[in-house]
Amino acid sequence: MSKSFYVTTPIYYVNDVPHIGHAYTTIAADVIARFNRLQGNKVFFLTGTDEHGQKIERTAESNGEKPIELADRVVKRFQNLSDALNITNDDFIRTTEKRHKSAVEEIFRRIEESGDIYLSEYEGWYDVRNEAFITETQYEEIMSLPEEKRPTIEKVKEESYFFRLSKYQDPLLEYYKEHPEFVQPNYRLNEVTRFVEGGLKDLSVSRTTFTWGIPVPDNSNHVIYVWFDALTNYLTGVGFPSDERMFNENWPADVHLVGKDILRFHAVYWPAFLMSAGLPLPKKVFAHGWWTVEGEKMSKSVGNVVDPYQVVEEFGADVFRYFLLREIPFGQDGDFSKNAIIARVNGELANGLGNLVSRTLGMIEKYFDAVVPEPGGLEVEDESVRDKALSTIELVENEMNEIAFHKALVSLWDFIGDVNKYVDESAPWTLAKEKNEERLGTVLWTIVQAIGVVTILIYPFMPESAEKIWERLGCPQPINSKLLSDAKEWGIVKPGQTVKKGQSLFPRFEK
Ligand code: ME8
C-alpha cells in the first residue's frame, strides 16, 4: 500500500557559499526520496534557506545592503544546487516568505497559550556564527580551547522571551526511552540523552538588539530567535497552519536529516517546542558526520572549501553522489579527496558496473544483432543469479529503510561482482564459438535481467547513469515509471528489445 513519506534537509544559511556539507545532506535526502518513490510511496521532500538572524543582518550591513537584498541576491546559489546535483525536492522554502511568517507566529502563539513563554532578561554569551546561546558548561568548554580554536562569542544582556524548556526535561527523556528510533545513529541518542539528563535551562527565544527576523506577535520590539524561526520551516513546508489537508497528509515528518553539529536543536529544542504546541513529533532525526578535506577541517581561512559545482564539473553529479554515500557509513565522519573519488570510479564504477554493461551489450550486438534473445531452459547457475538478484533487492530495501546507504551500495556491488563472475564462468564467447545458440541466448538473457535489476536499484543513487543504461537496454518506458516491484519480476528486459553498447559509462581517471 502506498504511504506518504516526508523527508527534509536543514535549511542552509543563505549567505553561506554552498560546500560539500550542504551537498552531502541534500544528496542523501534525495536518495531517500527517490528510493521511496521507487517503493511506490508518495513523497514530499523539502529543502531551503535560513535567511533571518544577526549574522545575516551583519553581513548585509557590512556590504551596505538590506538583508533581504543580500538574501535575494545569493539564494540562487542554493536553489541551483538542485539542478547541478539532480535533486528532486518538491519545494524550496525561504524563511523570508509570507507563508513562513504565519507558521512561526502560529506556533509561537500556541506555545504561549500553553503557558510556556515568559518575559525576562537574558544575560550571557552568544555565538553569532552558529546563532546559539552558550550555556555555562559550553562556555567553560570554549574557554578551555586554545585561543585560535575558540569560536567568536559575545556578551549579551537584553530583555528576552523565554521558553520553559526545563519543563520538558522529563517528557523528553521519557520520549527517547519509548522511541529509541527517534535519534539515529543509536550512539547519538545516548549523547542527546546525556545532555538532557544534565539538566535543561529555559531557552531564550527572542532578541531585541537587532531587527532582522519575525517580530514576536503583539510585541514588535522583539524578533523571534532564529532557530525557533528556522525549525518551524518543517511545518511551513507542509502547509501549516492554513492547509490542513496537506499538513495532515505529511506531518509528522518521517525523517529530518541533519549534520551532527545541529542535532541538539533538532532532537531537544524542536521536539520540546512541538510538545508544547500540541503537535506530533517527527518520527526520526538522523545525524550524519562531518567531512574533512585531505585530512583537514574545511575552512574559509585554510582555503580548502570544496565547491560542489566544481566537483560536478570535474566528475559528474552521479560520481559525486555515489562517492559521498559509498565512502563512509552514514553517520560517521569521512575524508574527501580527489584520489579517493578516482579510486572508487576506477575500481567500482568503471571496472565493476561499467564493464559488466559494456561487455554484455557488446556481446548482444555481436552475437544477436543487438536484439535481446529469448531464453531457453534455465540451468542451476542461471537460477542462482536470479535468486541472488531477488535477495539483493530485499537486502537493499532493508538497508535503505535503516538509512544505511553504504551497506545498500556494498550489497549491490556484491551482486554486480557475482554477475561478472557468472559472465566469466559461462563464457558466452566460447558458447558462440561452439555455435550453442540456445545456451548463449539463455546466458545473455540472464545477464541483461541482472543488469535491469541493478539499473533500477542504482537509479536513486545515480539517476543519470541509470537512465543511460536503461536506454541502452532498449527499454521502452522511462525508468522513472518503474517500481521496485517491477524489478522483482525476473524478466524486466524483454526479448526483442534492441540494445546499444554506446560509449564508456564511467571513463577512468588518472590519479
Ligand atoms: O546550520 N561535513 O545552516 P548551515 C558535513 N541554518 N556536513 C557539514 C559540514 C561538513 N564539513 N559543514 C557543514 C544551519 N555541514 C542552520 C540550519 S535547520 C532548521 C537550520 C552541514 O548553512 C551541517 O552539519 O550552517 C548542517 O547540517 C549543514 O551543513 C549546515 O548548514
Side-chain angles (χ1 to χ4, degrees), residues 9-13 16 19-22 24-25 50 55 78 129 227 230-231 233-234 257-262 266 288-292 298:
T9 72
I11 47 172
Y12 306 114
Y13 288 125
D16 275 4
H19 56 60
I20 187 183
H22 305 118
Y24 187 45
T25 331
D50 187 352
K55 186 173 52 170
F78 281 101
R129 161 68 189 89
W227 269 99
L231 288 161
N233 92 85
Y234 304 129
L257 290 187
V258 300
K260 62 181 185 182
D261 57 319
I262 57 174
H266 285 82
H288 66 65
W290 268 49
W291 287 92
T292 50
M298 198 166 54

Side-chain angles (χ1 to χ4, degrees), residues 291-331:
W291 287 92
T292 50
V293 176
E294 316 254 354
E296 277 200 69
K297 193 172 170 213
M298 198 166 54
S299 97
K300 268 188 217 155
S301 52
V302 180
N304 63 349
V305 176
V306 178
D307 172 359
Y309 291 103
Q310 252 175 29
V311 181
V312 169
E313 209 175 296
E314 195 168 346
F315 294 98
D318 274 7
V319 166
F320 190 25
R321 291 169 66 106
Y322 175 81
F323 173 78
L324 290 178
L325 298 181
R326 174 64 186 81
E327 184 72 359
I328 46 168
F330 200 57

